[in-house]
Amino acid sequence: MADKETPLLDELEKGPWPSFVKDMKRMGEKNPAARDHLRLLEKSYEDKLVHWKHGGIVGVQGYGGGVIGRYSDMPEEFPHVREFHTFRVNQPSGWFYTTEALRKLCDVWETYGSGMTNFHGSTGDVILLGAPTENLQACFNALSENGFDLGGSGSDLRTPSACVGPARCEYACIDTLDLCHDLTMEFQDEIHRPMWPYKFKIKIAGCPNDCVAAIARSDFSIIGTWKDALKIDQDAVKEYAEAGFDIQGLVVDKCPTKALKYEGGRLELVPEDCTKCMHCINKMPKALRPGDEKGAALLIGGKATILQSAFLSWVIVPWMEMKPPYDELKDLLRRIWEWWDENGKVRERVGELIYRLGMRNFLKAVGLKPVPQMVFRPRANPYIFWWPEEVGKNG
Amino acid sequence: MAKVVAKTDIGPPHYSNMLPPIVKENYGKWAYHEILTPGVLVHVSENGDKLYTVRVGSPRLMSILMVREICDLADKYCDGYLRFTSRHNIEFLLTDESKIEPLIADLEKMGLPVGGTGHSASNIIHTQGWLHCHTAATDASGIVKAIMDDLYEYFVDMKLPAKLKVAVACCLNMCGAVHCSDIAILGIHRTVPKIDHERLHQVCEIPTVVASCPTGAIRPDPKRKSVKVNEEKCMYCGNCYTMCPAMQIMDPENDGVAIMVGGKVSNARTAPMFSRLAIPFLPNNPPRWPEVVEAVRNIVDTWIRDAREGERVGEWIERIGWERFFEKTGIPFTEKHIDDYIFSVPTFRSTTQFKS
Amino acid sequence: MNEELRQKVLEYLGKVDKAKNKDIAVAIGAKKSEVDKVVNQLAREGVVEFLYIGTSYVKLAGKE
């Protein structure tokens, strides 16, 4: 790339963290679209203004999700990014890859696109940044031939994602990878053909540490947990103590429900007081483990700010066993979608709909029983709704 | 247009074909893990097998050239397997402990940092920004690079009071869902949208534009076949622009970033919590956003000085109180910090318990 | 597939620029889930395509 073409971005070549500018420049030497991409970004840095327009209709046949239209607002100056559409490629569960699979993706993207990628996008897909309209179908064909498919975009089920789970984590209470893959395969229509009021995200975390931020970032959060008492290996507790680890200060005193006692070299739990927060297990993974009766809590409504404020998902099912074929879970999902689809306004997330119509309507519609685990505390106002059948006729 | 020959709805590759043999053999049988050195983990299975993980920070935005180089390393040291984390890190999975050091030496040559474990600053979750989004109020990759350059010492070491998760979202759509991060940097607008009346009725449906406004600030303007905006009600969320390109909300002079702090996602100890406003506005100052970098550094430094062992930023602030947070960081508290949207009242201090 | 429903969906889409499946279902008096099936099949055949303007719509392919 010519010197001094991007003087502002060149400043981002400095410093110890890996520089995307250096990398884009290398790509720009091989691919004119990557070069124009960097030059257009430089223009944004000059103008403090974005230079992309709203998307138009782009896609591949049969799909309404997975390709996002992107057009530059300066097509004459930057012709190679005139059309610069994004592919969302559905990642394998847990983001595991063989280099063979990754190299195939790279080869496809070298042929049809800019050569720039994200590993990964916010929802979890591999993001391929920038292909012209005429390449979209051929690129998709090549992805498909190499065993890859597109993820979701628009008003559809977004690509489900999952933490590393039992593949490499002793905390995993559910098989996050299998569940993620199973749901993804079951709901291909819902991912690829947008038919809903707005997006719907599913994230699957193996334990309450929630390394995929399911509770914050998904409309439907599946979080592994357990029912019985966590397991304590007293010999390993001794080893921690002998190594000088402050069990009282860093573990027992930090237990949010004071469910632990450390006396006479033994760590004891009051199981009925434990809320399965993971703190003690995180601090002493050699000595403490989740219990044996494992499953998941299901929560609904998590989303970012637009429109009715950010929501954290809230409990709708405190406990469900998570075993293939996951029929109970899938049936519940379908009932939720049907209710949301029927009642939701355009761009209304499921959590916002529940906020507008009330949990009582939601629970009734999807057939869930109210339980105290759904709330921190009951209502403080007496504005109680009654169903007609619960009261006598007035006069 | 190319011919349609591809199979549709095949779904992603099955994960079991992507797992290294040691993972397949020990799937669901891991007993415990330890952090050996910053960025290097060992997971030990019930039958004694050991899996070593080397965690590497990436810019997320990568060329296929870089991806192939990473593949070369995974071929050389990991029998051709690797994974990525939910925070854009690359993880090399090794069975041979003696290969860790040569791998790290090769990573150093490539300029890729090893770290992000335990009480460290983890890699920044972020969105596209000016690089590839049409609604971006700021860039993301540039801010991330500038902040990670500054926090580098905390990525490659584990000397923080607790883990630190920073996120950048380039507009209120928050594709990066920054709202539960220890420190969240958020692109914001501060002026009402400029309406292109000529274009609006051609490209947008007026009822849709009106309905897009969460505060009811947009009304039909039948005379002009357009809409009008009640400037007092507009909170610059940009939702109308998302729905209609004729509601131009970009304003290079006034757009910038806000910083929110104290969020967390994990259920450990305290329940998950939202990040809350610390700094309502800092200017867009590319290429390195020095005001933003300095503000983040100040919050991190204050937290390091003041927090107890194991306290996340939000837990620290909740313990000392927000009044102390503003005092200790020297960040001015203003009317902008007091919520005036729909869930405001429960955030007002309805007790005489506060620090003077 | 339900031929009659397919014709109704196509007829409706011929009259509008774009629509959400829900609008189609209301307009032709059919069940939304049935409309979804028809639209998805039409999409696979390339007869309808999707567009995204803040939310997703469908339209007849190539119709301006």
Side-chain angles (χ1 to χ4, degrees):
Chain A
M1 187 175 286
D3 273 350
K4 302 293 168 206
E5 207 171 41
T6 55
L8 288 171
L9 285 166
D10 292 354
E11 291 297 311
L12 292 171
E13 293 189 65
K14 300 170 184 167
W17 191 252
S19 168
F20 68 94
V21 175
K22 277 186 196 166
D23 191 32
M24 282 182 85
K25 281 189 177 178
R26 283 200 301 168
M27 198 66 228
E29 281 168 17
K30 297 185 185 297
N31 186 316
R35 180 175 169 217
D36 270 6
H37 193 192
L38 194 67
R39 290 173 61 232
L40 186 69
L41 185 63
E42 175 78 9
K43 184 76 181 131
S44 281
Y45 273 49
E46 277 171 27
D47 300 345
K48 302 184 184 183
L49 186 65
V50 70
H51 283 296
W52 299 103
K53 296 195 292 187
H54 280 66
I57 305 172
V58 294
V60 297
Q61 183 168 328
Y63 282 47
V67 184
I68 295 109
R70 192 63 77 224
Y71 300 86
S72 158
D73 68 358
M74 305 182 75
E76 269 71 45
E77 295 89 328
F78 304 96
H80 298 287
V81 292
R82 173 191 298 269
E83 300 159 352
F84 206 62
H85 313 309
T86 302
F87 278 96
R88 291 187 182 158
V89 179
N90 196 332
Q91 81 286 1
S93 276
W95 299 288
F96 280 92
Y97 295 90
T98 60
T99 53
E100 189 192 355
L102 278 181
R103 286 180 198 281
K104 281 180 185 169
L105 269 182
C106 291
D107 293 348
V108 171
W109 197 230
E110 181 164 46
T111 308
Y112 297 105
S114 71
M116 293 310 300
T117 72
N118 289 152
F119 279 90
H120 293 81
S122 294
T123 299
D125 305 276
V126 179
I127 305 294
L128 304 178
L129 287 170
T133 311
E134 62 174 9
N135 282 4
L136 295 179
Q137 188 67 46
C139 184
F140 171 73
N141 294 352
L143 287 169
S144 176
E145 279 159 29
N146 285 289
F148 284 93
D149 198 350
L150 303 186
S153 66
S155 304
D156 66 5
L157 175 61
R158 299 300 180 86
T159 311
S161 73
C163 72
V164 70
R168 198 207 50 199
C169 185
E170 66 271 22
Y171 303 157
C173 296
I174 55 175
D175 190 342
T176 55
L177 304 193
D178 182 63
L179 178 56
C180 182
H181 191 77
D182 192 302
L183 294 180
T184 303
M185 297 311 291
E186 175 87 13
F187 299 122
Q188 286 287 298
D189 244 346
E190 284 79 359
I191 291 172
H192 291 142
R193 290 165 199 93
M195 54 180 101
W196 289 335
Y198 202 21
K199 65 180 92 168
F200 191 97
K201 297 186 178 184
I202 299 176
K203 288 189 190 294
I204 305 161
C207 82
N209 280 328
D210 194 0
C211 289
V212 282
I215 205 163
R217 301 174 70 175
S218 59
D219 299 271
F220 193 84
S221 321
I222 303 171
I223 302 178
T225 184
W226 66 96
K227 246 183 169 174
D228 51 343
L230 59 81
K231 295 191 283 190
I232 305 176
D233 175 346
Q234 298 294 350
D235 291 336
V237 170
K238 279 197 191 75
E239 281 173 35
Y240 275 101
E242 279 158 16
F245 181 71
D246 178 9
I247 294 174
Q248 182 66 39
L250 294 179
V251 180
V252 175
D253 291 350
K254 299 239 178 188
C255 173
T257 53
K258 307 287 173 242
L260 287 169
K261 277 201 185 83
Y262 183 54
E263 280 169 357
R266 287 181 67 82
L267 189 63
E268 302 290 352
L269 174 81
V270 183
E272 60 267 32
D273 286 346
C274 173
T275 49
K276 287 102 181 170
C277 86
M278 292 299 293
H279 174 74
C280 59
I281 298 176
N282 291 339
K283 287 292 154 190
M284 304 172 71
K286 271 180 157 171
L288 304 179
R289 304 197 66 178
D292 288 323
E293 210 181 327
K294 293 169 177 167
L298 308 180
L299 300 87
I300 200 163
K303 56 179 282 296
T305 308
I306 292 283
L307 277 173
Q308 303 268 13
S309 302
F311 292 165
L312 286 157
S313 286
W314 56 88
V315 174
I316 55 167
V317 178
W319 173 263
M320 189 184 275
E321 206 169 58
M322 281 296 140
K323 294 271 158 62
Y326 311 108
D327 284 338
E328 194 185 353
L329 174 70
K330 290 171 186 170
D331 289 347
L332 175 63
L333 275 169
R334 289 195 172 97
R335 292 199 300 276
I336 291 170
W337 290 335
E338 195 182 347
W339 178 76
W340 172 49
D341 208 5
E342 176 72 24
N343 296 285
K345 296 181 194 168
V346 167
R347 275 171 73 79
E348 187 171 45
R349 299 280 285 269
V350 71
E352 290 169 319
L353 176 63
I354 295 173
Y355 175 61
R356 180 162 64 83
L357 297 185
M359 273 287 274
R360 68 184 188 115
N361 277 309
F362 168 75
L363 294 177
K364 190 176 189 186
V366 304
L368 290 173
K369 208 168 99 77
V371 292
Q373 285 84 354
M374 291 175 179
V375 295
F376 281 119
R377 48 194 77 87
R379 72 164 73 217
N381 62 63
Y383 301 137
I384 308 161
F385 284 97
W386 300 96
W387 302 106
E389 64 271 22
E390 288 176 321
V391 290
K393 277 192 186 139
N394 181 5
Chain B
M1 181 75 72
K3 264 177 72 176
V4 179
V5 292
K7 280 190 199 155
T8 59
D9 302 290
I10 62 171
H14 198 279
Y15 62 92
S16 65
N17 298 323
M18 302 288 154
L19 302 177
I22 184 172
V23 166
K24 274 191 165 176
E25 283 154 26
N26 294 288
Y27 196 88
K29 295 180 197 155
W30 299 104
Y32 66 92
H33 76 277
E34 289 178 291
I35 303 172
L36 298 176
T37 54
V40 182
L41 305 164
V42 60
H43 284 79
V44 182
S45 88
E46 283 159 7
N47 67 28
D49 282 359
K50 287 183 178 177
L51 172 65
Y52 300 93
T53 298
V54 176
R55 184 175 293 171
V56 175
S58 99
R60 176 178 102 133
L61 171 61
M62 294 193 284
S63 73
I64 54 169
L65 307 174
M66 183 169 168
V67 176
R68 284 173 180 152
E69 285 162 4
I70 290 159
C71 288
D72 291 341
L73 289 184
D75 285 339
K76 188 171 168 190
Y77 295 104
C78 314
D79 302 317
Y81 296 91
L82 73 160
R83 76 176 290 266
F84 295 83
T85 72
S86 58
R87 299 191 71 88
H88 314 318
N89 296 304
I90 305 156
E91 288 187 337
F92 293 92
L93 307 168
L94 303 94
T95 48
D96 182 350
E97 192 176 3
S98 71
K99 288 184 178 172
I100 296 174
E101 281 197 16
L103 168 62
I104 291 175
D106 275 358
L107 288 164
E108 260 169 31
K109 269 184 241 158
M110 281 176 67
L112 291 175
V114 174
T117 52
H119 290 185
S120 69
S122 83
N123 200 351
I124 298 181
I125 289 282
H126 65 101
T127 58
Q128 298 292 8
W130 290 334
L131 183 89
H132 208 228
C133 181
H134 62 295
T135 66
T138 187
D139 192 34
S141 301
I143 297 179
V144 168
K145 163 74 174 147
I147 293 174
M148 285 312 286
D149 278 343
D150 193 59
L151 296 182
Y152 187 82
E153 60 177 312
Y154 299 118
F155 179 84
V156 298
D157 210 336
M158 302 192 293
K159 54 187 179 183
L160 293 171
K163 61 181 67 173
L164 176 71
K165 296 187 174 182
V166 183
V168 177
C170 50
C171 82
L172 268 62
N173 280 327
M174 283 198 210
C175 300
V178 305
H179 56 281
C180 293
S181 305
D182 291 296
I183 300 180
I185 293 128
L186 177 62
I188 58 161
H189 307 287
R190 297 190 298 158
T191 49
V192 299
K194 285 196 284 286
I195 307 168
D196 183 344
H197 294 290
E198 294 301 305
R199 195 166 158 234
L200 190 131
H201 67 273
Q202 294 165 5
V203 292
C204 313
E205 284 158 3
I206 286 166
T208 309
V209 183
V210 169
S212 74
C213 181
T215 64
I218 301 177
R219 288 285 154 86
D221 183 353
K223 272 189 210 152
R224 281 204 266 204
K225 280 202 217 158
S226 182
V227 298
K228 49 190 167 189
V229 175
N230 179 340
E231 302 202 359
E232 285 182 8
K233 278 189 173 176
C234 175
M235 56 183 185
Y236 333 114
C237 71
N239 197 49
C240 58
Y241 179 66
T242 301
M243 294 300 287
C244 173
M247 301 293 291
Q248 180 54 253
I249 194 158
M250 300 300 162
D251 178 350
E253 189 190 339
N254 291 298
D255 292 346
V257 307
I259 295 188
M260 306 180 85
V261 301
K264 79 190 260 287
V265 159
S266 150
N267 286 278
R269 301 173 303 281
T270 46
M273 44 191 174
F274 292 124
S275 314
R276 294 179 182 278
L277 185 68
I279 302 176
F281 178 77
L282 291 169
N284 266 333
N285 197 356
R288 295 197 67 101
W289 282 264
E291 296 85 355
V292 177
V293 172
E294 193 189 334
V296 170
R297 172 57 85 150
N298 173 39
I299 293 163
V300 172
D301 282 349
T302 312
W303 171 59
I304 292 171
R305 274 200 304 274
D306 207 61
R308 292 180 186 162
E309 167 78 11
E311 269 180 341
R312 296 275 296 266
V313 172
E315 293 171 304
W316 161 63
I317 299 173
E318 288 293 325
R319 177 173 60 78
I320 65 170
W322 284 89
E323 59 272 45
R324 284 283 183 271
F325 167 79
F326 285 101
E327 184 187 304
K328 284 171 191 274
T329 54
I331 297 169
F333 184 83
T334 69
E335 60 176 24
K336 309 279 188 284
H337 292 87
I338 305 176
D339 195 352
D340 41 23
Y341 193 41
I342 52 180
F343 299 112
S344 63
V345 172
T347 67
F348 300 163
R349 180 104 56 158
S350 50
T351 170
T352 57
Q353 296 180 3
F354 46 78
K355 294 173 181 169
S356 41
Chain C
M1 179 164 56
N2 184 335
E3 262 312 309
E4 195 190 339
L5 191 58
R6 182 187 166 103
Q7 280 315 313
K8 280 187 182 169
V9 169
L10 287 172
E11 214 171 280
Y12 180 74
L13 285 174
K15 288 188 283 194
V16 295
D17 295 338
K18 63 179 190 302
K20 287 192 76 73
N21 288 11
K22 193 174 167 181
D23 308 331
I24 304 173
V26 171
I28 66 177
K31 263 186 81 176
K32 162 90 172 30
S33 55
E34 294 300 314
V35 171
D36 287 343
K37 279 184 209 154
V38 169
V39 168
N40 290 346
Q41 179 56 32
L42 291 168
R44 284 192 200 92
E45 294 168 19
V47 180
V48 304
E49 58 191 11
F50 296 84
L51 71 157
Y52 184 77
I53 310 170
T55 186
S56 300
Y57 301 88
V58 292
K59 65 185 278 292
L60 289 181
K63 183 170 187 277
E64 284 308 315

